[in-house]
Amino acid sequence: MNETTSNPESTSNPEITPKSGPPSRTADVLVIGAGPTGLLLAGDLATAGVRVTLLERREHAADTAMTRSFAVHARTLELLDARGLGDELVALGRKAPVIGVFGRIELRLHRLRSRFPFALITPQYHVERLLERRAGAAGVRIVRGAEVTRLRQNDAGVEVETAGEDVWTAGYVVGCDGVRSSVRRMVGIGFPGKSVVRSVMLADIRLTEIPVDAVTTNSNAHGFASLVPFGDGWYRAIGWVAGDERPDDAPVAAEELSALLRRVLGSDYGMHDPRWISRFHSDERQAVRYREGRVLLAGDAAHVHSPAGGMGMNTGLQDAANLGWKLAAVVQGRAGQPLLDSYERERHPVGRQALRVSGAITRGVLRSPRNGLTRRLREVGLPLANRLNSLTATGERLLSGIGIAYPAPRGSHRLTGRRAPDLRLSGGRRLYEVLRDGRFVLVTRGRPVPETEWLRLAAPAGNLPGPLLIRPDGHIAWAADAEDPEGLRAALRNWPVTAA
């Protein structure tokens, strides 16, 4: 028996049994945390027929002050499209087909081979509202004001107690409860790392002059500054004065932020009427593992990094898309623990990569050159790098998530593990439309096998060298260069594509 609780003097018991008092509540899966990651995961599980309860510490949905993310990248938009939400979200934001990095390198996202060749600039709360609506429609029970204070597990399940002394039991728990995750702490998973930058100013402001670009950003010897629109007349201002290491609770005045904007952006755009202003620090941390028994981690509970590049929320949503169908298959008895183990094996390296990419951007932007030679090298070298298509194309694929591929077994087809493009299918459909019910999709000519509850068949509209078996998360599970009945049968045995 493994018990973890907020009380360090607690002891273990041999079995999970409901305590006396308030009645226990049960679910197949408890998701802790109603941010974007938790909402997408809970919605996916419920859509697959899993009984899900989502516990959230906050009494109310996130407000604008809690919105840290503004960028939704191409791969995340594809995953939202596979849930019928992509176009609706795009209508709420502003497209940025080009993103500046280091103030000089431009990532030309319009070159991406995606239905969404841009970064979408829209506040996080728009994403949360769409995902919460979807989760509720799928049958997810969302309980707010439920702060987890105790967690224990054994081979049969997990028991969670909240501050109100309610007891919840489930087969699995997924901690999506952010950088200060109680779930991660309670199961004893380490979260090593360090602070990358301190004393970053953050404010919501109005502007008299409207910037031309979707995101206005720059860095120089004075520091870094950025303006991002909410879309309703408000702007998020982010600024850091070079060398400033004051703590988060140090006072910050609007005049200080205004002066920084003028020094770095050339104008404060007539900023006025800040509705709030504060400081924060940015950490780089990653959980040493994403699973402890029947407890898993996703999103900021598993990894956190600087906001540079806007990769945080996107990486978390992609965690959820990877985990949801796997956990559903295990809960429903269609797959064993090895499939669930593959979640960490596939996503931990992606989280590590996100730390490296965002960290490189942060260090390049926020830490100004200390001498003339270094500054001159950056002035000459970065424009040169901007002209090297191979370098910037790699950056575009990394930042957008389009280039993410998962490890494939030795001897697999070269496409195995890669993201599947949004193929045109017969009847005028697209692959990501067919993926909306959360099943595997076999794209092939003819009908070599029957459809099942968890397998759809689709015919390509154009040329397709050989069949493709697409996972519910839009990655390729198996491929062949020509029809291969024996290889297909083996692939179907290896994946949970039959009903329990």
Side-chain angles (χ1 to χ4, degrees), residues 64 125 206 229-235 275:
T64 57
Y125 60 77
R206 289 194 180 275
F230 278 93
D232 59 357
W234 288 95
Y235 282 75
R275 58 184 171 189

Side-chain angles (χ1 to χ4, degrees), residues 73 96-109 119 213 215-220 224-226 306-311 356-366 378-379 381-386 391-400:
H73 288 301
V98 177
I99 291 182
V101 180
F102 300 121
R104 289 177 174 81
I105 291 181
E106 288 187 341
L107 298 182
R108 300 176 179 88
L109 302 178
D213 297 328
V215 178
T216 305
T217 185
N218 192 35
S219 65
N220 58 24
F224 167 81
S226 182
S306 88
M311 300 178 71
R356 290 173 177 170
V357 172
S358 63
I361 296 173
T362 300
R363 290 170 178 84
V365 170
L366 298 183
R378 194 168 89 167
E379 289 173 353
L382 292 184
L384 176 61
N386 199 40
L391 177 60
T392 53
T394 298
E396 290 153 11
R397 291 174 62 81
L398 286 175
L399 194 68
S400 67

Side-chain angles (χ1 to χ4, degrees), residues 56 167 274 312 367 469:
E56 168 55 48
V167 176
R367 299 189 178 171
L469 179 63

Side-chain angles (χ1 to χ4, degrees), residues 70-405:
F70 281 85
V72 185
H73 288 301
R75 182 55 183 158
T76 303
L77 287 168
E78 290 180 344
L79 294 174
L80 293 173
D81 184 30
R83 289 152 180 83
L85 302 175
D87 291 337
E88 187 173 357
L89 184 64
V90 168
L92 298 174
R94 185 174 175 182
K95 299 175 184 178
V98 177
I99 291 182
V101 180
F102 300 121
R104 289 177 174 81
I105 291 181
E106 288 187 341
L107 298 182
R108 300 176 179 88
L109 302 178
H110 57 78
R111 303 189 299 187
L112 294 171
R113 295 183 177 180
S114 170
R115 190 165 176 263
F116 305 98
F118 48 82
L120 181 71
I121 307 304
T122 192
Q124 176 178 320
Y125 60 77
H126 282 161
V127 180
E128 291 191 14
R129 288 169 184 170
L130 292 181
L131 290 173
E132 182 168 351
R133 186 190 69 197
R134 172 180 179 258
V140 175
R141 181 183 183 187
I142 301 177
V143 181
R144 295 192 175 273
E147 181 178 0
V148 174
T149 58
R150 186 183 187 190
L151 183 153
R152 58 178 183 161
Q153 63 173 313
N154 63 16
D155 292 342
V158 190
E159 182 181 271
V160 168
E161 185 174 328
T162 61
E165 296 190 337
D166 287 336
V167 176
W168 304 81
T169 58
Y172 291 88
V173 166
V174 184
C176 304
D177 50 340
V179 60
R180 298 180 180 85
S181 171
S182 297
V183 173
R184 186 188 63 239
R185 185 183 70 251
M186 289 177 182
V187 297
I189 296 178
F191 200 49
K194 60 183 179 181
S195 291
V196 181
V197 61
R198 296 184 179 278
S199 202
V200 179
M201 292 179 284
L202 208 64
D204 286 354
I205 59 176
R206 289 194 180 275
L207 303 178
T208 301
E209 305 169 33
I210 305 303
V212 174
D213 297 328
V215 178
T216 305
T217 185
N218 192 35
S219 65
N220 58 24
H222 298 289
F224 167 81
S226 182
L227 293 171
V228 187
F230 278 93
D232 59 357
W234 288 95
Y235 282 75
R236 171 62 51 82
I238 306 170
W240 176 76
V241 176
D244 194 349
E245 293 288 332
R246 280 176 287 178
D248 292 355
D249 58 359
V252 55
E255 292 76 16
E256 182 180 359
L257 178 59
S258 174
L260 179 66
L261 295 179
R262 292 194 301 272
R263 292 188 185 115
V264 177
L265 301 181
S267 171
D268 69 355
Y269 295 89
M271 67 164 277
H272 61 92
D273 295 333
R275 58 184 171 189
W276 66 272
I277 186 168
S278 67
R279 298 182 191 273
F280 78 100
H281 69 278
S282 179
D283 284 355
E284 274 184 6
R285 300 182 183 276
Q286 185 177 24
V288 295
R289 58 188 181 279
Y290 285 8
R291 182 184 179 192
E292 181 65 35
R294 291 177 169 269
V295 179
L296 300 104
L297 303 176
D300 285 355
H303 45 75
V304 65
H305 38 83
S306 88
M311 300 178 71
M313 179 181 69
N314 290 271
T315 306
L317 290 170
Q318 292 163 28
D319 287 345
N322 182 289
L323 176 58
W325 65 272
K326 296 176 179 178
L327 187 52
V330 172
V331 167
Q332 294 167 339
R334 295 184 287 114
Q337 295 301 314
L339 181 63
L340 200 53
D341 291 338
S342 73
Y343 165 64
E344 178 179 324
R345 186 168 63 252
E346 293 182 344
R347 294 302 301 174
H348 198 279
V350 175
R352 184 168 60 247
Q353 175 181 280
L355 262 70
R356 290 173 177 170
V357 172
S358 63
I361 296 173
T362 300
R363 290 170 178 84
V365 170
L366 298 183
R367 299 189 178 171
S368 300
R370 296 183 179 276
N371 58 67
L373 176 60
T374 303
R375 184 161 48 249
R376 181 58 180 161
L377 286 173
R378 194 168 89 167
E379 289 173 353
V380 174
L382 292 184
L384 176 61
N386 199 40
R387 292 195 291 269
L388 297 176
N389 282 339
S390 61
L391 177 60
T392 53
T394 298
E396 290 153 11
R397 291 174 62 81
L398 286 175
L399 194 68
S400 67
I402 294 297
I404 293 173

